[in-house]
Amino acid sequence: MKNILIICQGGMSSSVLAKKTTEYLKEKGNDIQVEATSTNEGRNMIEKGKYDLYLVSPQTKMYYEQLKKTGERSGKKVINIPPQAYVPVPMGIEKLSNLILQELPES
């Protein structure tokens, strides 16, 4: 199973998005779990390296460079989520799922 973490300001809106994206990915036959957390906790999670991919929400893109550097130090990929993929409607969920599948490191 692959684990993905969405990092957003408070982790609330991303929790809904994470749940819907996990359900969509599983329906498509992918063993991928998506979770969400706040920016402060996200930095700690990147340092621990527990997740396979870290996604930064549009409302926290001002922290992207810091989070990306933390990811580079821990050998983990950190990417921005485009606004059109950060909408908990079917089209947004599909875009986010495609982004995850495209960016997920092979292992």
Side-chain angles (χ1 to χ4, degrees):
M1 175 186 289
K2 298 288 186 174
N3 293 295
I4 313 301
L5 185 65
I6 299 173
I7 300 168
C8 84
Q9 200 63 26
M12 299 303 278
S13 60
S14 292
S15 294
V16 172
L17 192 64
K19 183 177 186 259
K20 289 184 176 205
T21 304
T22 297
E23 291 169 357
Y24 178 88
L25 287 164
K26 289 192 185 301
E27 286 172 8
K28 299 292 182 188
N30 297 288
D31 194 16
I32 298 172
Q33 177 72 36
V34 184
E35 297 177 12
T37 193
S38 67
T39 306
N40 290 338
E41 186 62 26
R43 189 173 294 118
N44 294 333
M45 299 302 266
I46 294 171
E47 288 173 355
K48 292 177 184 174
K50 176 183 170 189
Y51 294 85
D52 299 294
L53 178 65
Y54 298 87
L55 306 173
V56 179
S57 70
Q59 67 266 37
T60 55
K61 66 182 177 183
M62 68 283 249
Y63 302 112
Y64 173 71
E65 288 301 323
Q66 292 173 319
L67 295 169
K68 184 178 176 193
K69 286 178 184 173
T70 302
E72 289 169 356
R73 286 193 300 272
S74 64
K76 296 293 181 170
K77 195 170 192 178
V78 178
I79 61 168
N80 272 319
I81 300 173
Q84 64 272 23
Y86 194 75
V87 187
V89 298
M91 186 177 71
I93 300 300
E94 183 178 357
K95 286 180 188 264
L96 183 58
S97 297
N98 289 338
L99 176 70
I100 289 169
L101 293 172
Q102 174 186 327
E103 297 292 338
L104 197 59
E106 297 289 326
S107 58

